[in-house]
Amino acid sequence: MQNLIDRLLAFAKQHQINVILSTTMSPNTPPAANPALNKVLINLNWPNQNQIAFQLAHELGHVLNNDAGILYGCTQASHNSIEFAASKRGIQLLIDLYFADIAVSDANSARFIHQLCIPSYLVNFTETQIRQHYETQLKQVD
């Protein structure tokens, strides 16, 4: 898991996104992003350590999507749409990094979903994106 987090941090650095990894926050403090400042805050005290890679990718998704930093003025529907888009962007990033060195014959979407604690509402999207990841790779080889 640390290798994937390191890859996400390298991606963030390459895209000039400042990631703050905090060990001083309460375990209940969620991660956050401020796209206007290209900053992401990750709580390393989070109770489920296996969720941190997905959280980091999700917050990077907010920055990459250039979302509004504060969603207080949003309706619930638009808030959900923004969060879903950030999750989708994060999953695409995770797939590209996680499966970069894994042959299609060794790819296991169930393991990926379980290891990274992908929420159930994103499972179908994730499986579709993994298939598309390998389809794209196969087209590039042809």
Side-chain angles (χ1 to χ4, degrees):
M1 194 66 60
Q2 187 58 48
N3 184 39
L4 184 58
I5 291 172
D6 290 343
R7 287 180 178 198
L8 287 166
L9 294 172
F11 175 90
K13 184 175 182 179
Q14 180 183 7
H15 290 83
Q16 300 176 333
I17 301 170
N18 184 21
V19 178
I20 301 164
L21 302 172
S22 175
T23 58
T24 61
M25 296 168 23
S26 159
N28 301 322
T29 304
N34 187 330
L37 298 177
N38 277 356
K39 287 190 178 183
V40 168
L41 174 64
I42 299 299
N43 181 1
L44 294 179
N45 290 331
W46 193 254
N48 186 341
Q49 293 289 299
N50 292 332
Q51 293 176 338
I52 291 176
F54 175 69
Q55 290 176 347
L56 175 54
H58 171 92
E59 298 306 329
L60 290 172
H62 279 301
V63 175
L64 295 169
N65 291 345
N66 200 27
D67 293 334
I70 298 175
L71 302 177
Y72 301 125
C74 293
T75 65
Q76 186 63 42
S78 64
H79 180 269
N80 290 345
S81 176
I82 291 167
E83 290 301 318
F84 186 61
S87 290
K88 287 170 48 177
R89 188 78 179 259
I91 285 171
Q92 291 166 333
L93 176 58
L94 285 168
I95 288 169
D96 288 344
L97 298 174
Y98 182 96
F99 291 103
D101 303 322
I102 297 176
V104 67
S105 59
D106 296 326
N108 185 322
S109 63
R111 182 182 313 134
F112 175 83
I113 289 163
H114 176 74
Q115 285 179 340
L116 297 176
C117 302
I118 303 297
S120 59
Y121 70 93
L122 291 167
V123 167
N124 289 339
F125 173 80
T126 302
E127 290 173 342
T128 299
Q129 292 303 302
I130 292 169
R131 277 191 298 279
Q132 288 179 359
H133 170 82
Y134 283 104
E135 288 171 2
T136 300
Q137 278 189 342
L138 290 172
K139 287 178 185 175
Q140 291 174 352
V141 171
D142 289 342

